[in-house]
Structures are given as structure tokens and as C-alpha cells.
């Protein structure tokens, strides 16, 4: 698959990009007008950045089936995804041992309604997700997160944030429906490459990725996405960075 193509996890029933939800009637355009399309027609989700061709990369987090995402990267990217999920109408629950890192985001997002809640590790209550009130659970519990009390479920996706590879990371990546990897050490890149069946060029690239660039992949597909913050996101979170 060429870089920039939406990820489709062929052997799994849940695909990487694009919402598997209600569909609207598709419009028809002559071929010469295809370039005018800025977003995928009929798909909804969170615009997480742009692919190598500059097209929007859309990640469907509100799904009628359980969806697990693992992100080996920085909290900045996870926070941008959380803010954009709120912008699509989702509620966000953050399980974290770094409450101070998320408190400003929660205060800003909660102006007018309670859409971001913070919870200590192992203390996340049932969220009651539904098609009308989908949930994104962000697990920021270190490189070796404990088993969560609340997991992925219909209309409730889980994003597990890992700052670097830990002893359980390969198992978590193998079980995930989608894996995102930001800049890692060369020896970590080798582990990711073996686990996710990456070609040698991608393994080499992982140790030199710029801030804000993520390789989103499954064992059968991959795409590089550059996440650029909007002006409000920059004011709240600062510039893109790999480490806090």
C-alpha cells in the first residue's frame, strides 16, 4: 500500500480508517471534479492529519463495534486526537497517572458541558456509550499499563498511549485494531517492524520521524500521517512534540 492510503485491516472485521456507521447516499461527480473533494464522501470521523499526498486522514473512532488503538508516541498527539474527538460529539474519558498534564485540556474542553473526564489509573467507571453518545477512552498509564476496568465496546473506542516500548507492547500491538508509532529508538523500531510486519524502509524511517508524524499501521497496511495543530490547539497544547 502506498503511503497516504487509508488503512484497511484485511484479516479483521474492524477497519482502520473511516466510520462503519450510518451511510448517506453518495453523490456522483465526473472524473475531472474529483480533485474538488476535500473529505471522503459518506465517511465520518476525526481528521487526524494529512497523508503523504496532502489528503485528509480520517480516523473513525465512533463505531458500532469495539475498536482498540495503540499509540506509541507523545501525549501531545493523544491530546489533539481527544480534542478533535470532542469536536465530533464524542465524550472523552482519560485514565491517567499524569492528571496535571490533562487538566488544562479538560478545563478548556468542558466549557458549557462535561465532555472530558479525568480518572486515576484503575478508577474509570462505566461510561454508558451509545450511538448518540460515543466515548473515547484514553489510557495514559505508562509503558506497562495495567489491565483496564473499562475496555473497548460498541460505541466506545480505546486509545492506549505508550511513551515508549515496554515488555507488554508487542502483545498490545498484536491485539490492537490499529497501531500508531511515532519516533522511536532504532532497537525499538526493530521490535515494531517484527510485530507489525513492516518492510525494512519503514523500520529505518521510524527512528527519524519528525515531530507530529505518525506511522499508522496494521499487519497488512500502513500510512504516514502528519498532524498539524490548528491555532486554538497550538494555544492550548503548544507545538507538536514527541516527548513531554
Amino acid at each position: 500500500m502506498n503511503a497516504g492510503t487509508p488503512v484497511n485491516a484485511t484479516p479483521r472485521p474492524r477497519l482502520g480508517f473511516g466510520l462503519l456507521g450510518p451511510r448517506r447516499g453518495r453523490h456522483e461527480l465526473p472524473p475531472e471534479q474529483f480533485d474538488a473533494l476535500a473529505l471522503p464522501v459518506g465517511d465520518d470521523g476525526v481528521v487526524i492529519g494529512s497523508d503523504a499526498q496532502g489528503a485528509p486522514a480520517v480516523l473513525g473512532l465512533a463505531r458500532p463495534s469495539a475498536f482498540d488503538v495503540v499509540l506509541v508516541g507523545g501525549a501531545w498527539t493523544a491530546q489533539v486526537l481527544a480534542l478533535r474527538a470532542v469536536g465530533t460529539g464524542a465524550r472523552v474519558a482519560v485514565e491517567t497517572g499524569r492528571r496535571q498534564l490533562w487538566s488544562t485540556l479538560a478545563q478548556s474542553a468542558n466549557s458549557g458541558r462535561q465532555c472530558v473526564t479525568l480518572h486515576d489509573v484503575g478508577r474509570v467507571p462505566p461510561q454508558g456509550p451509545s450511538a448518540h453518545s460515543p466515548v473515547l477512552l484514553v489510557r495514559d498509564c505508562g509503558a506497562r499499563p495495567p489491565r483496564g476496568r473499562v475496555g473497548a465496546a460498541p460505541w466506545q473506542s480505546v486509545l492506549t498511549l505508550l511513551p515508549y516500548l515496554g515488555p507488554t507492547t508487542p502483545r498490545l500491538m498484536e491485539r490492537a485494531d490499529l497501531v500508531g508509532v511515532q519516533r522511536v529508538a532504532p532497537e525499538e523500531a526493530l521490535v515494531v517492524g517484527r510485530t507489525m510486519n513492516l518492510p525494512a524502509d519503514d523500520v529505518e524511517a521510524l527512528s527519524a520521524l519528525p515531530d507530529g508524524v505518525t506511522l499508522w499501521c496494521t499487519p497488512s497496511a500502513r500510512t504516514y500521517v502528519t498532524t498539524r495543530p490548528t491555532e486554538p490547539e497550538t494555544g492550548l497544547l503548544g507545538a507538536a512534540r514527541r516527548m513531554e
Side-chain angles (χ1 to χ4, degrees):
M1 188 186 83
N2 295 327
T5 304
V7 171
N8 291 320
T10 304
R12 297 175 181 266
R14 299 184 292 275
L15 308 182
F17 288 100
L19 174 67
L20 300 181
R23 299 286 177 168
R24 303 177 180 86
R26 294 181 180 270
H27 300 281
E28 293 185 0
L29 291 175
E32 60 270 17
Q33 294 185 22
F34 284 173
D35 290 340
L37 295 178
L39 292 173
V41 176
D43 288 328
D44 296 310
V46 179
V47 179
I48 61 173
S50 55
D51 62 20
Q53 285 71 47
V58 180
L59 176 57
L61 291 172
R63 296 167 178 261
S65 56
F67 188 61
D68 264 305
V69 182
V70 169
L71 172 62
V72 181
W76 182 90
T77 300
Q79 290 180 328
V80 170
L81 297 185
L83 278 177
R84 296 183 182 183
V86 168
T88 65
R91 291 181 288 124
V92 175
V94 182
E95 180 183 6
T96 180
R98 302 185 290 177
R99 183 178 286 261
Q100 73 285 353
L101 183 65
W102 291 87
S103 58
T104 301
L105 179 149
Q107 292 170 5
S108 176
N110 286 339
S111 57
R113 64 189 182 98
Q114 189 77 5
C115 51
V116 177
T117 56
L118 306 183
H119 309 274
D120 294 332
V121 176
R123 298 299 184 92
V124 182
Q127 297 297 303
S130 69
H132 300 291
S133 184
V135 173
L136 171 63
L137 171 60
V138 180
R139 304 199 71 215
D140 176 25
C141 307
R144 192 171 185 174
R147 184 182 298 273
R149 291 178 58 187
V150 177
W155 305 112
Q156 180 169 280
S157 296
V158 175
L159 170 65
T160 301
L161 173 65
L162 306 174
Y164 51 86
L165 269 66
T168 62
T169 301
R171 176 175 56 83
L172 292 173
M173 291 193 296
E174 288 172 351
R175 294 181 177 180
D177 299 293
L178 183 67
V179 173
V181 185
Q182 298 186 311
R183 187 172 62 248
V184 294
E187 58 271 20
E188 292 179 311
L190 292 174
V191 176
V192 174
R194 288 194 299 268
T195 306
M196 301 306 299
N197 193 32
L198 298 178
D201 288 349
D202 289 311
V203 173
E204 184 177 357
L206 286 178
S207 59
L209 292 179
D211 290 344
V213 176
T214 306
L215 173 62
W216 294 99
C217 59
T218 70
S220 61
R222 61 199 178 278
T223 184
Y224 289 92
V225 174
T226 300
T227 302
R228 296 182 177 88
T230 63
E231 186 174 339
E233 290 169 347
T234 299
L236 181 63
L237 304 175
R241 55 193 180 278
R242 168 63 176 89
M243 299 299 294
E244 300 306 318

PDB file of all heavy atoms in Angstrom, residues 5-25:
ATOM      1  N   THR A   5      -2.561   6.052   1.921  1.00  0.00           N
ATOM      2  CA  THR A   5      -3.807   5.349   1.661  1.00  0.00           C
ATOM      3  C   THR A   5      -4.427   4.929   2.973  1.00  0.00           C
ATOM      4  O   THR A   5      -3.736   4.434   3.853  1.00  0.00           O
ATOM      5  CB  THR A   5      -3.533   4.098   0.794  1.00  0.00           C
ATOM      6  OG1 THR A   5      -2.873   4.516  -0.391  1.00  0.00           O
ATOM      7  CG2 THR A   5      -4.834   3.395   0.447  1.00  0.00           C
ATOM      8  N   PRO A   6      -5.747   5.120   3.185  1.00  0.00           N
ATOM      9  CA  PRO A   6      -6.376   4.713   4.434  1.00  0.00           C
ATOM     10  C   PRO A   6      -6.105   3.261   4.748  1.00  0.00           C
ATOM     11  O   PRO A   6      -6.075   2.401   3.872  1.00  0.00           O
ATOM     12  CB  PRO A   6      -7.861   4.978   4.186  1.00  0.00           C
ATOM     13  CG  PRO A   6      -7.868   6.060   3.167  1.00  0.00           C
ATOM     14  CD  PRO A   6      -6.687   5.783   2.283  1.00  0.00           C
ATOM     15  N   VAL A   7      -5.895   2.976   6.039  1.00  0.00           N
ATOM     16  CA  VAL A   7      -5.555   1.638   6.472  1.00  0.00           C
ATOM     17  C   VAL A   7      -6.784   0.762   6.464  1.00  0.00           C
ATOM     18  O   VAL A   7      -7.813   1.120   7.021  1.00  0.00           O
ATOM     19  CB  VAL A   7      -4.946   1.684   7.889  1.00  0.00           C
ATOM     20  CG1 VAL A   7      -4.789   0.286   8.434  1.00  0.00           C
ATOM     21  CG2 VAL A   7      -3.610   2.392   7.842  1.00  0.00           C
ATOM     22  N   ASN A   8      -6.694  -0.418   5.882  1.00  0.00           N
ATOM     23  CA  ASN A   8      -7.756  -1.415   5.923  1.00  0.00           C
ATOM     24  C   ASN A   8      -7.176  -2.695   6.494  1.00  0.00           C
ATOM     25  O   ASN A   8      -6.312  -3.317   5.874  1.00  0.00           O
ATOM     26  CB  ASN A   8      -8.320  -1.703   4.529  1.00  0.00           C
ATOM     27  CG  ASN A   8      -9.095  -0.521   3.987  1.00  0.00           C
ATOM     28  OD1 ASN A   8      -9.816   0.135   4.719  1.00  0.00           O
ATOM     29  ND2 ASN A   8      -8.940  -0.244   2.721  1.00  0.00           N
ATOM     30  N   ALA A   9      -7.597  -3.082   7.670  1.00  0.00           N
ATOM     31  CA  ALA A   9      -7.107  -4.299   8.304  1.00  0.00           C
ATOM     32  C   ALA A   9      -7.846  -5.491   7.701  1.00  0.00           C
ATOM     33  O   ALA A   9      -8.885  -5.915   8.174  1.00  0.00           O
ATOM     34  CB  ALA A   9      -7.327  -4.245   9.806  1.00  0.00           C
ATOM     35  N   THR A  10      -7.301  -6.050   6.612  1.00  0.00           N
ATOM     36  CA  THR A  10      -7.997  -7.058   5.833  1.00  0.00           C
ATOM     37  C   THR A  10      -8.435  -8.266   6.646  1.00  0.00           C
ATOM     38  O   THR A  10      -9.571  -8.699   6.547  1.00  0.00           O
ATOM     39  CB  THR A  10      -7.116  -7.510   4.654  1.00  0.00           C
ATOM     40  OG1 THR A  10      -6.769  -6.367   3.893  1.00  0.00           O
ATOM     41  CG2 THR A  10      -7.848  -8.522   3.794  1.00  0.00           C
ATOM     42  N   PRO A  11      -7.553  -8.835   7.534  1.00  0.00           N
ATOM     43  CA  PRO A  11      -7.979 -10.040   8.222  1.00  0.00           C
ATOM     44  C   PRO A  11      -8.897  -9.778   9.395  1.00  0.00           C
ATOM     45  O   PRO A  11      -9.341 -10.694  10.047  1.00  0.00           O
ATOM     46  CB  PRO A  11      -6.661 -10.636   8.694  1.00  0.00           C
ATOM     47  CG  PRO A  11      -5.769  -9.454   8.874  1.00  0.00           C
ATOM     48  CD  PRO A  11      -6.170  -8.502   7.785  1.00  0.00           C
ATOM     49  N   ARG A  12      -9.194  -8.514   9.710  1.00  0.00           N
ATOM     50  CA  ARG A  12     -10.007  -8.208  10.879  1.00  0.00           C
ATOM     51  C   ARG A  12     -11.352  -7.648  10.441  1.00  0.00           C
ATOM     52  O   ARG A  12     -11.480  -7.039   9.405  1.00  0.00           O
ATOM     53  CB  ARG A  12      -9.294  -7.178  11.776  1.00  0.00           C
ATOM     54  CG  ARG A  12      -7.967  -7.690  12.338  1.00  0.00           C
ATOM     55  CD  ARG A  12      -7.284  -6.560  13.117  1.00  0.00           C
ATOM     56  NE  ARG A  12      -6.010  -6.988  13.655  1.00  0.00           N
ATOM     57  CZ  ARG A  12      -5.844  -7.464  14.879  1.00  0.00           C
ATOM     58  NH1 ARG A  12      -6.886  -7.561  15.677  1.00  0.00           N
ATOM     59  NH2 ARG A  12      -4.663  -7.836  15.305  1.00  0.00           N
ATOM     60  N   PRO A  13     -12.371  -7.826  11.266  1.00  0.00           N
ATOM     61  CA  PRO A  13     -13.693  -7.293  10.893  1.00  0.00           C
ATOM     62  C   PRO A  13     -13.807  -5.801  11.096  1.00  0.00           C
ATOM     63  O   PRO A  13     -14.741  -5.198  10.652  1.00  0.00           O
ATOM     64  CB  PRO A  13     -14.644  -8.044  11.839  1.00  0.00           C
ATOM     65  CG  PRO A  13     -13.797  -8.380  13.023  1.00  0.00           C
ATOM     66  CD  PRO A  13     -12.420  -8.639  12.460  1.00  0.00           C
ATOM     67  N   ARG A  14     -12.826  -5.176  11.848  1.00  0.00           N
ATOM     68  CA  ARG A  14     -12.895  -3.748  12.114  1.00  0.00           C
ATOM     69  C   ARG A  14     -11.764  -3.076  11.374  1.00  0.00           C
ATOM     70  O   ARG A  14     -10.598  -3.432  11.552  1.00  0.00           O
ATOM     71  CB  ARG A  14     -12.799  -3.487  13.624  1.00  0.00           C
ATOM     72  CG  ARG A  14     -13.941  -4.135  14.382  1.00  0.00           C
ATOM     73  CD  ARG A  14     -13.874  -3.787  15.861  1.00  0.00           C
ATOM     74  NE  ARG A  14     -12.728  -4.383  16.521  1.00  0.00           N
ATOM     75  CZ  ARG A  14     -12.712  -5.606  17.009  1.00  0.00           C
ATOM     76  NH1 ARG A  14     -13.762  -6.365  16.893  1.00  0.00           N
ATOM     77  NH2 ARG A  14     -11.646  -6.074  17.618  1.00  0.00           N
ATOM     78  N   LEU A  15     -12.061  -2.104  10.540  1.00  0.00           N
ATOM     79  CA  LEU A  15     -11.066  -1.494   9.686  1.00  0.00           C
ATOM     80  C   LEU A  15     -10.440  -0.294  10.357  1.00  0.00           C
ATOM     81  O   LEU A  15     -10.930   0.231  11.336  1.00  0.00           O
ATOM     82  CB  LEU A  15     -11.706  -1.089   8.355  1.00  0.00           C
ATOM     83  CG  LEU A  15     -12.484  -2.225   7.660  1.00  0.00           C
ATOM     84  CD1 LEU A  15     -13.026  -1.735   6.329  1.00  0.00           C
ATOM     85  CD2 LEU A  15     -11.603  -3.441   7.460  1.00  0.00           C
ATOM     86  N   GLY A  16      -9.307   0.168   9.794  1.00  0.00           N
ATOM     87  CA  GLY A  16      -8.541   1.221  10.432  1.00  0.00           C
ATOM     88  C   GLY A  16      -9.150   2.595  10.323  1.00  0.00           C
ATOM     89  O   GLY A  16      -9.407   3.249  11.317  1.00  0.00           O
ATOM     90  N   PHE A  17      -9.382   3.097   9.119  1.00  0.00           N
ATOM     91  CA  PHE A  17      -9.873   4.441   8.925  1.00  0.00           C
ATOM     92  C   PHE A  17     -11.278   4.426   8.362  1.00  0.00           C
ATOM     93  O   PHE A  17     -11.640   3.559   7.576  1.00  0.00           O
ATOM     94  CB  PHE A  17      -8.956   5.223   7.974  1.00  0.00           C
ATOM     95  CG  PHE A  17      -7.643   5.582   8.597  1.00  0.00           C
ATOM     96  CD1 PHE A  17      -6.510   4.850   8.338  1.00  0.00           C
ATOM     97  CD2 PHE A  17      -7.559   6.648   9.469  1.00  0.00           C
ATOM     98  CE1 PHE A  17      -5.308   5.183   8.921  1.00  0.00           C
ATOM     99  CE2 PHE A  17      -6.365   6.988  10.059  1.00  0.00           C
ATOM    100  CZ  PHE A  17      -5.241   6.259   9.788  1.00  0.00           C
ATOM    101  N   GLY A  18     -12.085   5.390   8.752  1.00  0.00           N
ATOM    102  CA  GLY A  18     -13.440   5.519   8.235  1.00  0.00           C
ATOM    103  C   GLY A  18     -14.449   4.893   9.181  1.00  0.00           C
ATOM    104  O   GLY A  18     -14.216   3.833   9.751  1.00  0.00           O
ATOM    105  N   LEU A  19     -15.549   5.536   9.392  1.00  0.00           N
ATOM    106  CA  LEU A  19     -16.564   5.070  10.329  1.00  0.00           C
ATOM    107  C   LEU A  19     -17.448   4.003   9.703  1.00  0.00           C
ATOM    108  O   LEU A  19     -17.965   4.170   8.604  1.00  0.00           O
ATOM    109  CB  LEU A  19     -17.432   6.257  10.766  1.00  0.00           C
ATOM    110  CG  LEU A  19     -18.634   5.919  11.642  1.00  0.00           C
ATOM    111  CD1 LEU A  19     -18.175   5.411  12.989  1.00  0.00           C
ATOM    112  CD2 LEU A  19     -19.506   7.151  11.814  1.00  0.00           C
ATOM    113  N   LEU A  20     -17.596   2.889  10.422  1.00  0.00           N
ATOM    114  CA  LEU A  20     -18.520   1.855   9.977  1.00  0.00           C
ATOM    115  C   LEU A  20     -19.873   2.109  10.626  1.00  0.00           C
ATOM    116  O   LEU A  20     -20.320   1.394  11.499  1.00  0.00           O
ATOM    117  CB  LEU A  20     -17.983   0.476  10.369  1.00  0.00           C
ATOM    118  CG  LEU A  20     -16.630   0.109   9.788  1.00  0.00           C
ATOM    119  CD1 LEU A  20     -16.226  -1.272  10.240  1.00  0.00           C
ATOM    120  CD2 LEU A  20     -16.654   0.190   8.278  1.00  0.00           C
ATOM    121  N   GLY A  21     -20.511   3.166  10.245  1.00  0.00           N
ATOM    122  CA  GLY A  21     -21.777   3.556  10.844  1.00  0.00           C
ATOM    123  C   GLY A  21     -22.797   3.867   9.780  1.00  0.00           C
ATOM    124  O   GLY A  21     -22.714   3.397   8.644  1.00  0.00           O
ATOM    125  N   PRO A  22     -23.797   4.698  10.119  1.00  0.00           N
ATOM    126  CA  PRO A  22     -24.830   5.035   9.134  1.00  0.00           C
ATOM    127  C   PRO A  22     -24.241   5.677   7.891  1.00  0.00           C
ATOM    128  O   PRO A  22     -23.340   6.503   7.977  1.00  0.00           O
ATOM    129  CB  PRO A  22     -25.719   6.019   9.901  1.00  0.00           C
ATOM    130  CG  PRO A  22     -25.459   5.735  11.341  1.00  0.00           C
ATOM    131  CD  PRO A  22     -24.021   5.318  11.405  1.00  0.00           C
ATOM    132  N   ARG A  23     -24.701   5.276   6.754  1.00  0.00           N
ATOM    133  CA  ARG A  23     -24.213   5.807   5.486  1.00  0.00           C
ATOM    134  C   ARG A  23     -25.263   6.682   4.834  1.00  0.00           C
ATOM    135  O   ARG A  23     -26.456   6.425   4.922  1.00  0.00           O
ATOM    136  CB  ARG A  23     -23.846   4.663   4.536  1.00  0.00           C
ATOM    137  CG  ARG A  23     -22.736   3.766   5.092  1.00  0.00           C
ATOM    138  CD  ARG A  23     -21.407   4.452   5.022  1.00  0.00           C
ATOM    139  NE  ARG A  23     -20.359   3.619   5.611  1.00  0.00           N
ATOM    140  CZ  ARG A  23     -19.080   3.856   5.495  1.00  0.00           C
ATOM    141  NH1 ARG A  23     -18.660   4.913   4.828  1.00  0.00           N
ATOM    142  NH2 ARG A  23     -18.192   3.073   6.061  1.00  0.00           N
ATOM    143  N   ARG A  24     -24.816   7.706   4.156  1.00  0.00           N
ATOM    144  CA  ARG A  24     -25.707   8.576   3.404  1.00  0.00           C
ATOM    145  C   ARG A  24     -25.565   8.248   1.925  1.00  0.00           C
ATOM    146  O   ARG A  24     -24.586   7.652   1.490  1.00  0.00           O
ATOM    147  CB  ARG A  24     -25.352  10.048   3.646  1.00  0.00           C
ATOM    148  CG  ARG A  24     -25.402  10.437   5.118  1.00  0.00           C
ATOM    149  CD  ARG A  24     -24.972  11.897   5.286  1.00  0.00           C
ATOM    150  NE  ARG A  24     -25.019  12.282   6.682  1.00  0.00           N
ATOM    151  CZ  ARG A  24     -24.048  12.099   7.537  1.00  0.00           C
ATOM    152  NH1 ARG A  24     -22.941  11.518   7.138  1.00  0.00           N
ATOM    153  NH2 ARG A  24     -24.153  12.496   8.792  1.00  0.00           N
ATOM    154  N   GLY A  25     -26.530   8.665   1.152  1.00  0.00           N
ATOM    155  CA  GLY A  25     -26.455   8.452  -0.276  1.00  0.00           C
ATOM    156  C   GLY A  25     -25.263   9.171  -0.866  1.00  0.00           C
ATOM    157  O   GLY A  25     -24.985  10.318  -0.531  1.00  0.00           O
TER     158      GLY A  25
END
